[in-house]
Each structure stands twice: as C-alpha cells, then as structure tokens.
Short mmCIF file of all heavy atoms in Angstrom, two decimals:
data_model
loop_
_atom_site.label_atom_id
_atom_site.label_comp_id
_atom_site.label_asym_id
_atom_site.label_seq_id
_atom_site.Cartn_x
_atom_site.Cartn_y
_atom_site.Cartn_z
N ALA A 618 37.14 80.07 -39.19
CA ALA A 618 36.80 79.11 -38.14
C ALA A 618 37.20 77.68 -38.47
O ALA A 618 37.36 76.85 -37.56
CB ALA A 618 35.30 79.18 -37.85
N GLY A 619 37.34 77.37 -39.75
CA GLY A 619 37.69 76.00 -40.12
C GLY A 619 38.80 75.97 -41.15
O GLY A 619 39.19 77.00 -41.72
N LEU A 620 39.33 74.78 -41.38
CA LEU A 620 40.33 74.60 -42.43
C LEU A 620 39.69 74.77 -43.80
O LEU A 620 38.49 74.54 -43.96
CB LEU A 620 40.93 73.20 -42.33
CG LEU A 620 41.84 72.91 -41.14
CD1 LEU A 620 42.05 71.40 -41.00
CD2 LEU A 620 43.18 73.62 -41.31
N PRO A 621 40.46 75.12 -44.81
CA PRO A 621 39.91 75.15 -46.17
C PRO A 621 39.44 73.74 -46.57
O PRO A 621 40.02 72.74 -46.15
CB PRO A 621 41.10 75.58 -47.04
CG PRO A 621 42.06 76.23 -46.10
CD PRO A 621 41.88 75.54 -44.79
N ALA A 622 38.38 73.69 -47.34
CA ALA A 622 37.90 72.39 -47.83
C ALA A 622 38.97 71.76 -48.72
O ALA A 622 39.67 72.46 -49.46
CB ALA A 622 36.60 72.58 -48.60
N ALA A 623 39.10 70.46 -48.64
CA ALA A 623 40.08 69.75 -49.47
C ALA A 623 39.65 68.31 -49.65
O ALA A 623 39.21 67.67 -48.68
CB ALA A 623 41.47 69.81 -48.83
N GLU A 624 39.75 67.82 -50.87
CA GLU A 624 39.48 66.42 -51.14
C GLU A 624 40.82 65.68 -51.16
O GLU A 624 41.67 65.92 -52.01
CB GLU A 624 38.77 66.26 -52.49
CG GLU A 624 37.34 66.80 -52.49
CD GLU A 624 36.61 66.48 -53.78
OE1 GLU A 624 37.11 65.64 -54.57
OE2 GLU A 624 35.54 67.07 -54.01
N ILE A 625 41.00 64.78 -50.19
CA ILE A 625 42.26 64.07 -50.03
C ILE A 625 42.00 62.58 -50.20
O ILE A 625 41.20 61.99 -49.48
CB ILE A 625 42.87 64.34 -48.64
CG1 ILE A 625 43.05 65.85 -48.41
CG2 ILE A 625 44.22 63.63 -48.50
CD1 ILE A 625 43.49 66.21 -47.00
N ASP A 626 42.68 61.99 -51.17
CA ASP A 626 42.58 60.55 -51.38
C ASP A 626 43.55 59.83 -50.44
O ASP A 626 44.66 60.33 -50.20
CB ASP A 626 42.91 60.21 -52.83
CG ASP A 626 42.63 58.76 -53.16
OD1 ASP A 626 43.51 57.91 -52.89
OD2 ASP A 626 41.54 58.48 -53.69
N PRO A 627 43.16 58.69 -49.87
CA PRO A 627 44.08 57.98 -48.98
C PRO A 627 45.44 57.68 -49.62
O PRO A 627 46.46 57.61 -48.91
CB PRO A 627 43.33 56.68 -48.66
CG PRO A 627 41.89 57.03 -48.81
CD PRO A 627 41.84 58.03 -49.94
N ASP A 628 45.49 57.52 -50.94
CA ASP A 628 46.75 57.22 -51.62
C ASP A 628 47.54 58.46 -51.99
O ASP A 628 48.62 58.35 -52.58
CB ASP A 628 46.50 56.38 -52.87
CG ASP A 628 46.16 54.94 -52.53
OD1 ASP A 628 46.55 54.47 -51.45
OD2 ASP A 628 45.48 54.27 -53.34
N ASP A 629 47.04 59.66 -51.65
CA ASP A 629 47.80 60.89 -51.90
C ASP A 629 49.00 60.96 -50.96
O ASP A 629 48.94 60.48 -49.82
CB ASP A 629 46.92 62.13 -51.68
CG ASP A 629 45.89 62.31 -52.78
OD1 ASP A 629 46.02 61.68 -53.84
OD2 ASP A 629 44.95 63.11 -52.58
N ASP A 630 50.06 61.61 -51.41
CA ASP A 630 51.24 61.81 -50.55
C ASP A 630 50.90 62.75 -49.39
O ASP A 630 50.31 63.81 -49.60
CB ASP A 630 52.40 62.40 -51.33
CG ASP A 630 52.99 61.43 -52.33
OD1 ASP A 630 52.80 60.21 -52.17
OD2 ASP A 630 53.64 61.89 -53.29
N ALA A 631 51.29 62.35 -48.19
CA ALA A 631 51.18 63.23 -47.04
C ALA A 631 52.51 63.96 -46.81
O ALA A 631 52.53 65.14 -46.49
CB ALA A 631 50.80 62.45 -45.78
N CYS A 632 53.61 63.24 -46.97
CA CYS A 632 54.91 63.85 -46.76
C CYS A 632 55.96 63.18 -47.62
O CYS A 632 55.78 62.06 -48.11
CB CYS A 632 55.31 63.79 -45.27
SG CYS A 632 55.11 62.18 -44.50
N ILE A 633 57.03 63.91 -47.85
CA ILE A 633 58.18 63.41 -48.60
C ILE A 633 59.42 63.70 -47.76
O ILE A 633 59.72 64.86 -47.46
CB ILE A 633 58.30 64.09 -49.98
CG1 ILE A 633 57.04 63.82 -50.82
CG2 ILE A 633 59.54 63.60 -50.71
CD1 ILE A 633 57.01 64.59 -52.14
N PHE A 634 60.12 62.65 -47.36
CA PHE A 634 61.34 62.79 -46.59
C PHE A 634 62.50 62.20 -47.38
O PHE A 634 62.36 61.13 -47.98
CB PHE A 634 61.23 62.09 -45.23
CG PHE A 634 60.23 62.72 -44.30
CD1 PHE A 634 59.45 61.95 -43.46
CD2 PHE A 634 60.06 64.09 -44.26
CE1 PHE A 634 58.52 62.52 -42.60
CE2 PHE A 634 59.15 64.69 -43.41
CZ PHE A 634 58.38 63.90 -42.58
N TYR A 635 63.62 62.89 -47.36
CA TYR A 635 64.76 62.48 -48.17
C TYR A 635 65.69 61.51 -47.44
O TYR A 635 65.94 61.65 -46.25
CB TYR A 635 65.53 63.71 -48.66
CG TYR A 635 64.87 64.34 -49.86
CD1 TYR A 635 63.80 65.21 -49.71
CD2 TYR A 635 65.27 64.00 -51.14
CE1 TYR A 635 63.16 65.75 -50.82
CE2 TYR A 635 64.65 64.53 -52.25
CZ TYR A 635 63.59 65.41 -52.09
OH TYR A 635 62.96 65.93 -53.19
N THR A 636 66.19 60.55 -48.20
CA THR A 636 67.18 59.61 -47.67
C THR A 636 68.51 60.34 -47.49
O THR A 636 68.66 61.49 -47.89
CB THR A 636 67.35 58.41 -48.61
OG1 THR A 636 67.84 58.89 -49.89
CG2 THR A 636 66.02 57.70 -48.83
N SER A 637 69.47 59.63 -46.91
CA SER A 637 70.74 60.29 -46.59
C SER A 637 71.60 60.58 -47.81
O SER A 637 72.46 61.45 -47.77
CB SER A 637 71.54 59.40 -45.63
OG SER A 637 71.82 58.15 -46.23
N GLY A 638 71.39 59.84 -48.91
CA GLY A 638 72.22 60.07 -50.09
C GLY A 638 73.63 59.55 -49.93
O GLY A 638 74.58 60.13 -50.45
N THR A 639 73.78 58.45 -49.19
CA THR A 639 75.12 57.91 -48.90
C THR A 639 75.86 57.52 -50.18
O THR A 639 77.06 57.76 -50.31
CB THR A 639 75.00 56.69 -47.98
OG1 THR A 639 74.27 57.07 -46.81
CG2 THR A 639 76.38 56.20 -47.57
N THR A 640 75.15 56.91 -51.12
CA THR A 640 75.81 56.41 -52.34
C THR A 640 75.44 57.20 -53.59
O THR A 640 75.78 56.80 -54.71
CB THR A 640 75.45 54.93 -52.56
OG1 THR A 640 74.02 54.82 -52.68
CG2 THR A 640 75.92 54.07 -51.40
N GLY A 641 74.74 58.29 -53.43
CA GLY A 641 74.31 59.09 -54.58
C GLY A 641 73.45 60.23 -54.07
O GLY A 641 73.48 60.59 -52.90
N PHE A 642 72.66 60.80 -54.96
CA PHE A 642 71.76 61.87 -54.54
C PHE A 642 70.69 61.31 -53.60
O PHE A 642 70.24 60.17 -53.77
CB PHE A 642 71.08 62.51 -55.75
CG PHE A 642 71.99 63.40 -56.56
CD1 PHE A 642 72.31 63.07 -57.87
CD2 PHE A 642 72.51 64.55 -56.01
CE1 PHE A 642 73.14 63.88 -58.62
CE2 PHE A 642 73.35 65.38 -56.74
CZ PHE A 642 73.67 65.04 -58.05
#
C-alpha cells in the first residue's frame, strides 16, 4: 500500500545526468 521507508537527506543525490562530452568524457 505504501512506498518502502527511506531516510533521505536534502543533500542526497536525486539524479545524475551526463554532460555531452564535447571535449572529453
């Protein structure tokens, strides 16, 4: 009925998105 319990700090990462890598990885 509900989501699993989780302790989330505001400074925790929510998402990681990659840059285009125009000049390197």
Side-chain angles (χ1 to χ4, degrees):
L620 289 165
E624 291 187 13
I625 304 173
D626 188 276
D628 286 335
D629 287 345
D630 290 339
C632 48
I633 300 173
F634 293 144
Y635 279 83
T636 62
S637 61
T639 305
T640 59
F642 286 116

